[in-house]
């Protein structure tokens, strides 16, 4: 029997039991649709995380003091004071792959204006900080080198701080806010950045010269972070190497001693976050895959019922000249058709569901061609795998017994 | 002398049920020639069904020779037997065995699907001719549940004719039919026989056997009697003389 005949016979058999065929397909349809939709959601979240992270600056490098051990006790990294302004100057001078460097020192406290106050964080930074961190000044201006040197009492405010202290759409430039006891003149407003991928509000921020924060607010000499940007993304690993060497020399670390600082790059951050969303994708896909498996078992079940129900038909077909192989192929073809047609409908439904999810729930959704191809292949495989045993059972029937079967 | 279609020599068939051996056929010798219309008769357990299974190449004998149209069947494997059934044999069963929800034409076409030499176009034409031969060309698009028992059996006969077989095997083909319809079916078989078809008809009803040309009677795995039918019934004549059934008017 050739394949045209075979598929004709299979289609006829399915047509004879339309409702049952559709219900059986439903298992596969739901399975495939959920696999496609789940993978699309997983991929969407991965892509949006990557986009967000790279919007923070793609060739960024952070240096933080590393955790220190003291008698076996891990001390938090904020306690360590290994980074200083000298390090910043050394990096600027001695690292050719690094273009911009900014020290960073943070403090949290209350920002106060007239009778309003708001808890916020003040970031003491250098003049290059906006370029490195992709922060833009919306109105007013950034502070200058001179203001950094003189520890000027100036600041730039983020949107959230302005809303909390002055109300929506207020223009605070020229006014004076207090951070703790220190009055700071507002010289600029920062452009909104929204939440970052950790859910932190990036607009709840006050920028001030790092000297001001170090001397006037915290009264410290160390830095919490050094941000730097490499010449290009490709050069970032070279930049990390140079930076590490420079800091080791300046910190007078002996050969073999551990670094007293940690260097992180944006690329590492992206890969860490991606691996989290990959786990999410796998998890969602696996749950959806289970429903696909259940759909496959449904096909197997129905094919067994079908073989039993059509025992006499099988006997007749054998009597009029069907070989075992013909019977095997007929039932295999039926189950493959069930799963493949179900799979195609499922793929369409999955793509449809993904676009509904993205438009109704505003979730980022990316349907990958690979997942479509994969589910199609899996469907065919399910048809063959779960159709095989019922088909074998049909093919191995004895024609005499099959003809007499009641 | 007519050509010999079926030649059976010292045929034996044993079944093993647990530790018991059942001897269903105990040395059968038989010959069926072209154009014969043979009735195989016997009570249940006489071995006639086993005989039909072997003659129909659905089963293999334990020992003995079987030549079908000059071919030794014993040496063939399963697939060769299937091809043989497809090319040379026709089957008509007691319960018709038509595919449900499938039109008469498609049912008749069925054996041709398993013959790769026949193209899709020819298939329909051949099937239609076979339906015409049993007088049901106008019912070709009807499904079995839209046909009466007699019509269903005629579709089944058309299906057995479609591959132009050397011999048609009918297994209690009138068993499910009332007297009148049985006679109609027998009349059709007589017609086909008159055109030269060889038919082997298994039945346990003596009056049905009288429509055939030769009777072979089985008992306990032996042939106990064999002979030509002397006062043969003519189904067409009997139908014409039958009072018309008014039960359903």
């Amino acid at each position: 029997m050739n394949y045209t005949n075979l598929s004709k016979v299979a289609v006829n058999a399915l047509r004879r039991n339309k409702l049952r065929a559709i219900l059986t397909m439903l298992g596969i349809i739901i399975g495939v649709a959920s696999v496609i939709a789940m993978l699309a959601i997983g991929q969407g979240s991965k892509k949006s995380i990557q986009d967000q992270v790279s919007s923070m600056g793609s060739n960024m490098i952070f240096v933080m003091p590393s955790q220190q051990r003291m008698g076996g006790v891990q001390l938090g990294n904020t306690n360590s004071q290994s980074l200083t302004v000298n390090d910043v100057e050394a990096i600027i001078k001695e690292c050719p792959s690094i273009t911009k460097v900014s020290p960073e020192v943070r403090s949290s406290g209350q920002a106060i204006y007239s009778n309003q106050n708001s808890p916020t964080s003040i970031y003491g930074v250098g003049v290059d900080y906006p370029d490195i961190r992709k922060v833009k000044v919306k109105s007013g201006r950034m502070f200058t080198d001179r203001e950094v040197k003189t520890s000027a009492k100036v600041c730039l405010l983020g949107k959230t701080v302005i809303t909390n202290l002055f109300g929506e759409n207020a223009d605070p430039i020229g006014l004076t806010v207090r951070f703790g006891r220190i009055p700071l003149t507002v010289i600029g407003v920062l452009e909104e950045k929204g939440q970052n991928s950790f859910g932190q509000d990036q607009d709840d921020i006050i920028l001030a010269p790092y000297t001001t924060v170090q001397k006037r607010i915290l009264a410290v000499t160390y830095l919490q972070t050094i941000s730097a940007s490499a010449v290009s993304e490709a050069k970032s690993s070279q930049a990390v190497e140079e930076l590490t060497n420079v800091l080791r020399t300046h910190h007078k670390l002996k050969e073999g001693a551990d670094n007293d600082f940690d260097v992180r790059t944006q690329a590492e951050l992206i890969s860490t976050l991606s691996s989290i969303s990959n786990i999410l994708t796998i998890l969602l896909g696996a749950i959806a895959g289970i429903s696909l498996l259940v759909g496959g078992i449904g096909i197997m079940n129905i094919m067994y019922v079908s073989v039993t129900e059509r025992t006499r038909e099988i006997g007749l077909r054998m009597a009029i000249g069907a070989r075992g192989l013909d019977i095997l192929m007929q039932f295999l073809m039926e189950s493959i058709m069930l799963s493949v047609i179900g799979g195609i409908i499922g793929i369409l439904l999955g793509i449809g569901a993904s676009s509904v999810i993205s438009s109704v729930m505003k979730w980022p959704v990316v349907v990958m061609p690979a997942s479509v191809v994969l589910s199609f292949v899996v469907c065919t495989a399910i048809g063959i795998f779960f159709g095989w045993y019922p088909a074998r059972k049909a093919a191995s029937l004895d024609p005499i017994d099959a003809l007499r079967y009641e | 002398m007519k050509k010999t279609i079926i030649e059976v020599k010292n045929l034996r068939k044993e079944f093993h049920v647990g530790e018991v051996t059942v001897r269903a056929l105990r040395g059968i010798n038989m010959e069926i020639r072209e154009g014969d219309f043979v009735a195989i008769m016997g009570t249940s357990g006489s071995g006639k069904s086993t005989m039909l299974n072997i003659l129909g190449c659905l089963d293999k004998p334990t020992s003995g020779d079987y030549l079908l149209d000059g071919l030794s069947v014993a040496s063939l494997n399963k697939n060769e037997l299937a091809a043989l059934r497809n090319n040379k044999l026709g089957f008509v069963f007691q319960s018709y065995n038509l595919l449900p929800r499938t039109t008469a034409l498609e049912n008749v076409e069925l054996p041709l699907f398993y013959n790769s030499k026949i193209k899709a176009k020819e298939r329909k034409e051949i099937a239609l001719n076979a339906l015409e031969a049993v007088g049901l060309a106008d019912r070709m698009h009807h499904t079995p549940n839209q046909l009466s028992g007699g019509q269903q059996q005629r579709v089944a006969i058309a299906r057995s004719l479609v591959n132009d077989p050397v011999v048609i095997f009918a297994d209690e083909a009138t068993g499910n039919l009332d007297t009148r319809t049985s006679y109609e079916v027998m009349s059709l078989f007589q017609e086909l026989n008159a055109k030269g078809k060889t038919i082997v008809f298994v039945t346990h009803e003596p009056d049905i056997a009288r429509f055939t040309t030769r009777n072979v009677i089985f008992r306990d795995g032996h042939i106990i009697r064999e002979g030509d039918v002397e006062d043969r019934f003519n189904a067409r004549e009997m139908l014409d003389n039958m009072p018309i059934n008014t039960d359903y008017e």
Side-chain angles (χ1 to χ4, degrees):
Chain A
M1 191 143 76
N2 60 37
Y3 288 99
T4 334
N5 287 355
L6 210 59
S7 38
K8 210 180 241 172
V9 167
V11 168
N12 284 344
L14 294 181
R15 247 190 9 214
R16 270 191 264 147
N17 270 307
K18 274 198 205 86
L19 184 64
R20 192 163 80 183
I22 290 167
L23 288 176
T24 311
M25 269 184 224
L26 208 55
I28 291 292
I29 292 173
I30 292 171
V32 171
S34 54
V35 166
I36 299 251
M38 292 300 129
L39 291 184
I41 289 171
Q43 281 302 313
S45 73
K46 183 175 168 181
K47 192 173 175 294
S48 86
I49 287 172
Q50 283 175 345
D51 288 351
Q52 279 187 36
V53 173
S54 52
S55 80
M56 298 185 334
S58 59
N59 40 11
M60 236 190 314
I61 297 167
F62 307 96
V63 186
M64 281 160 285
S66 66
Q67 292 190 351
Q68 287 185 328
R69 268 171 183 277
M70 222 178 237
V73 179
Q74 291 271 11
L75 300 173
N77 50 6
T78 44
N79 288 345
S80 87
Q81 308 179 357
S82 56
L83 297 178
T84 61
V85 180
N86 292 341
D87 292 331
V88 175
E89 277 156 14
I91 292 167
I92 295 172
K93 270 187 219 148
E94 294 166 39
C95 296
S97 300
I98 288 172
T99 51
K100 285 176 177 158
V101 184
S102 165
E104 192 179 317
V105 55
R106 290 182 299 272
S107 173
S108 15
Q110 294 296 117
I112 303 159
Y113 176 73
S114 85
N115 62 346
Q116 298 293 316
N117 71 84
S118 158
T120 186
S121 307
I122 190 160
Y123 282 63
V125 298
V127 287
D128 284 335
Y129 183 85
D131 291 339
I132 298 168
R133 300 295 288 256
K134 300 276 152 69
V135 180
K136 288 199 181 80
V137 178
K138 191 161 86 180
S139 59
R141 62 174 181 89
M142 187 62 193
F143 46 78
T144 59
D145 271 329
R146 208 186 136 70
E147 280 166 330
V148 171
K149 279 195 185 109
T150 58
S151 316
K153 291 187 261 184
V154 293
C155 70
L156 290 90
L157 300 183
K159 169 85 170 133
T160 308
V161 179
I162 294 170
T163 309
N164 288 344
L165 293 186
F166 304 97
E168 201 101 24
N169 302 324
D171 180 14
I173 292 174
L175 301 173
T176 303
V177 296
R178 277 195 296 130
F179 188 84
R181 287 175 292 107
I182 312 299
L184 300 164
T185 305
V186 181
I187 57 165
V189 173
L190 300 172
E191 203 155 85
E192 286 169 63
K193 284 199 91 175
Q195 288 187 349
N196 70 7
S197 33
F198 309 103
Q200 247 173 1
D201 183 357
Q202 297 179 92
D203 299 322
D204 193 4
I205 182 179
I206 299 177
L207 286 191
Y210 67 93
T211 46
T212 311
V213 176
Q214 271 186 330
K215 288 177 194 163
R216 299 186 192 274
I217 294 172
L218 289 174
V220 296
T221 54
Y222 62 85
L223 298 171
Q224 280 152 343
T225 309
I226 297 172
S227 311
S229 64
V231 177
S232 67
E233 211 173 334
K235 287 245 174 156
S236 85
S237 60
Q238 197 187 323
V240 169
E241 210 171 294
E242 290 170 4
L243 196 146
T244 309
N245 289 335
V246 168
L247 288 185
R248 282 186 71 91
T249 318
H250 277 261
H251 291 185
K252 300 191 172 67
L253 295 175
K254 285 187 191 117
E255 197 91 8
D258 286 344
N259 287 346
D260 57 355
F261 55 91
D262 278 331
V263 184
R264 299 242 187 283
T265 64
Q266 191 72 347
E268 282 171 23
L269 190 60
I270 289 177
S271 79
T272 309
L273 291 172
S274 296
S275 74
I276 291 168
S277 70
N278 275 344
I279 290 168
L280 181 81
T281 308
I282 290 167
L283 205 68
L284 289 173
I287 292 167
I290 288 168
S291 72
L292 190 57
L293 187 74
V294 172
I297 293 168
I299 286 191
M300 192 172 190
N301 183 24
I302 285 300
M303 291 313 293
Y304 265 123
V305 171
S306 179
V307 167
T308 309
E309 195 184 76
R310 286 153 67 190
T311 301
R312 275 161 64 114
E313 176 189 325
I314 295 163
L316 170 82
R317 285 180 186 272
M318 285 177 160
I320 61 173
R323 292 167 300 161
L325 185 69
D326 294 325
I327 300 293
L328 181 86
M329 290 306 284
Q330 179 191 335
F331 280 90
L332 210 51
M333 198 70 163
E334 273 182 41
S335 70
I336 291 173
M337 273 197 177
L338 277 176
S339 61
V340 166
I341 296 171
I344 291 170
I345 298 173
I347 286 169
L348 296 177
L349 201 69
I351 293 172
S354 307
S355 62
V356 168
I357 287 169
S358 78
S359 67
V360 174
M361 307 188 68
K362 307 283 181 219
W363 284 2
V365 164
V366 178
V367 178
M368 289 184 303
S371 75
V372 172
V373 172
L374 182 78
S375 16
F376 193 79
V377 171
V378 167
C379 270
T380 317
I382 279 178
I384 295 170
F385 184 80
F386 288 106
W388 179 260
Y389 287 96
R392 274 234 48 104
K393 188 190 169 196
S396 60
L397 285 173
D398 179 48
I400 300 165
D401 295 337
L403 276 168
R404 298 250 159 77
Y405 185 85
E406 292 297 333
Chain B
M1 194 72 172
K2 281 180 182 167
K3 192 177 147 197
T4 304
I5 300 285
I6 288 174
E7 194 179 354
V8 169
K9 276 183 200 149
N10 198 23
L11 194 78
R12 288 170 192 278
K13 179 71 184 178
E14 289 169 3
F15 294 105
H16 300 278
V17 185
E19 289 178 3
V20 188
T21 303
V22 180
R23 293 191 178 81
L25 298 174
R26 313 177 183 203
I28 302 291
N29 294 295
M30 204 165 103
E31 207 175 271
I32 294 170
R33 290 175 201 283
E34 195 174 22
D36 276 0
F37 189 177
V38 179
I40 292 180
M41 297 186 63
T43 53
S44 68
S46 62
K48 65 181 194 304
S49 292
T50 308
M51 189 66 197
L52 186 80
N53 288 339
I54 292 171
L55 292 180
C57 301
L58 292 166
D59 205 354
K60 281 187 171 186
T62 310
S63 67
D65 287 331
Y66 172 25
L67 289 174
L68 173 67
D69 204 20
L71 209 68
S72 177
V73 173
S75 62
L76 302 178
N77 67 25
K78 261 185 158 182
N79 286 347
E80 287 167 331
L81 285 178
L84 189 71
R85 292 196 295 269
N86 188 243
N87 293 324
K88 298 204 167 186
L89 307 181
F91 288 94
V92 180
F93 302 96
Q94 178 174 2
S95 47
Y96 329 130
N97 277 339
L98 299 178
L99 299 190
R101 280 160 284 183
T102 307
T103 65
L105 186 68
E106 285 171 331
N107 264 299
V108 174
E109 279 180 333
L110 202 60
L112 304 178
F113 272 110
Y114 296 101
N115 187 340
S116 50
K117 284 178 199 131
I118 290 167
K119 294 187 184 70
K121 267 188 190 170
E122 295 172 272
R123 193 162 60 214
K124 197 166 178 188
E125 203 181 299
I126 296 169
L128 204 56
N129 286 341
L131 268 180
E132 246 160 40
V134 300
L136 283 176
D138 54 334
R139 300 294 174 97
M140 58 190 248
H141 294 305
H142 289 217
T143 55
N145 58 358
Q146 294 168 323
L147 298 169
S148 70
Q151 286 170 332
Q152 287 186 52
Q153 194 59 295
R154 274 150 70 194
V155 173
I157 293 169
R159 183 179 62 198
S160 75
L161 286 171
V162 81
N163 56 353
D164 193 24
V166 293
V167 54
I168 295 173
F169 294 103
D171 187 4
E172 304 271 11
T174 56
N176 280 6
L177 302 172
D178 62 59
T179 314
R180 189 185 175 82
T181 328
S182 297
Y183 288 1
E184 281 172 6
V185 167
M186 291 318 289
S187 156
L188 180 59
F189 274 121
Q190 284 189 332
E191 229 175 87
L192 293 171
N193 180 240
K195 285 179 191 161
K197 280 280 169 220
T198 312
I199 299 163
V200 175
F201 199 103
V202 170
T203 182
H204 62 269
E205 294 170 79
D207 59 327
I208 292 292
R210 286 184 67 183
F211 291 104
T212 63
T213 57
R214 192 151 65 96
N215 290 358
V216 180
I217 296 156
F218 276 69
R219 182 186 285 168
D220 300 332
H222 296 286
I223 294 176
I224 55 163
R225 201 144 39 87
E226 187 174 7
D228 291 341
V229 178
E230 278 161 20
D231 47 347
R232 193 179 175 214
F233 286 161
N234 184 319
R236 178 79 354 230
E237 269 174 31
M238 287 177 70
L239 273 173
D240 292 343
N241 295 336
M242 240 182 165
I244 288 163
N245 191 337
T246 54
D247 289 358
Y248 303 109
E249 284 179 12

